[in-house]
Amino acid sequence: DGGITQSPKYLFRKEGQNVTLSCEQNLNHDAMYWYRQDPGQGLRLIYYSQIVNDFQKGDIAEGYSVSREKKESFPLTVTSAQKNPTAFYLCASSIGAGGDYGYTFGSGTRLTVV
Amino acid sequence: AQTVTQSQPEMSVQEAETVTLSCTYDTSESDYYLFWYKQPPSRQMILVIRQEAYKQQNATENRFSVNFQKAAKSFSLKISDSQLGDAAMYFCAYRSAIYYQLIWGAGTKLIIKP
């Protein structure tokens, strides 16, 4: 079945560590997105990529980095510069660059700072 | 800047009855897309329904339908014959035809009473 796989499901980070969240899709979608979700809030865009080797910052990119070396993969690194990283992270993809037909989401990664 | 408002943080409905979730948005654009997403306890976002602003006909997907009032900038979701599996957070989202970012509402928690 086609879909988006996010791993791990739960991730714990110590202060000062960088951690990487994985996102892989086998839908042949062009665009991929990373969102952060905090309790009681809607989703906030961290980064997005419309084509391989290109990506743009979203509303809350500070403290995060991404790469898009393959169409199928869009990993997110949460760096030590992100002061409040505890949140739920969702990866999504869409046909075409604009997502006119909506997004397909992964099942998310819950990141906790310990 | 576009904004999306969901004024009902929580709604409850008896199983088998009908419920309407409200969403309003603010934009100066004439062409755009609107979406409703469902986030069940598993936390994976699922696209429920999509509306193109230039289409006057309200979108329908099985028990889910929308009431799209473009002049009033309103996009409500009606769920008929509510089922226990409909219990979830519901998010309304706006996407400009020009800019590729989705603007999200804060969500409405839907409770289904058996």
Side-chain angles (χ1 to χ4, degrees):
Chain A
D1 285 339
I4 297 181
T5 301
Q6 287 188 243
S7 63
K9 193 174 179 69
Y10 299 96
L11 186 58
F12 297 90
R13 191 194 95 168
K14 294 182 180 179
E15 295 282 352
Q17 270 187 343
N18 291 355
V19 292
T20 297
L21 284 60
S22 171
C23 178
E24 303 277 336
Q25 56 102 354
N26 60 4
L27 299 165
N28 199 32
H29 283 179
D30 297 304
M32 297 187 74
Y33 313 82
W34 273 106
Y35 283 95
R36 171 177 171 145
Q37 186 177 27
D38 293 284
Q41 297 188 30
L43 276 63
R44 293 186 290 169
L45 182 64
I46 304 172
Y47 269 98
Y48 65 102
S49 168
Q50 295 172 314
I51 56 172
V52 175
N53 292 323
D54 188 46
F55 47 83
Q56 285 78 41
K57 293 181 179 180
D59 300 322
I60 57 166
E62 185 175 352
Y64 300 97
S65 66
V66 293
S67 62
R68 186 88 186 276
E69 297 176 0
K70 298 186 299 181
K71 189 175 185 179
E72 302 79 21
S73 179
F74 192 41
L76 173 73
T77 296
V78 184
T79 74
S80 56
Q82 172 49 240
K83 297 307 178 188
N84 185 23
T86 294
F88 187 66
Y89 292 86
L90 282 163
C91 179
S93 68
S94 67
I95 297 172
D100 296 2
Y101 296 94
Y103 296 173
T104 300
F105 282 85
S107 56
T109 293
R110 174 70 184 176
L111 174 62
T112 303
V113 174
V114 296
Chain B
Q2 295 91 357
T3 58
V4 175
T5 302
Q6 293 180 248
S7 59
Q8 307 150 316
E10 186 175 298
M11 292 278 287
S12 63
V13 64
Q14 207 71 33
E15 191 178 3
E17 293 187 347
T18 296
V19 63
T20 299
L21 309 183
S22 67
C23 173
T24 58
Y25 56 94
D26 185 25
T27 185
S28 58
E29 299 174 343
S30 59
D31 195 15
Y32 46 86
Y33 302 88
L34 294 163
F35 305 89
W36 277 100
Y37 282 86
K38 169 185 177 181
Q39 188 178 39
S42 68
R43 303 203 70 179
Q44 182 165 10
M45 285 283 199
I46 302 164
L47 178 63
V48 175
I49 204 163
R50 165 185 174 271
Q51 176 79 42
E52 298 176 49
Y54 64 85
K55 290 187 177 179
Q56 293 187 347
Q57 186 173 7
N58 289 324
T60 300
E61 290 288 341
N62 301 313
R63 297 182 295 106
F64 298 86
S65 62
V66 298
N67 183 7
F68 174 49
Q69 302 287 333
K70 191 172 184 178
K73 299 177 184 177
S74 172
F75 183 60
S76 60
L77 175 69
K78 185 172 84 170
I79 306 173
S80 305
D81 185 25
S82 298
Q83 300 175 1
L84 295 177
D86 295 333
M89 285 290 292
Y90 286 82
F91 292 91
C92 178
Y94 168 101
R95 210 223 84 180
S96 163
I98 302 171
Y99 302 106
Y100 291 161
Q101 290 192 28
L102 277 181
I103 310 298
W104 295 82
T108 296
K109 182 178 181 180
L110 179 63
I111 298 168
I112 310 295
K113 299 177 182 178

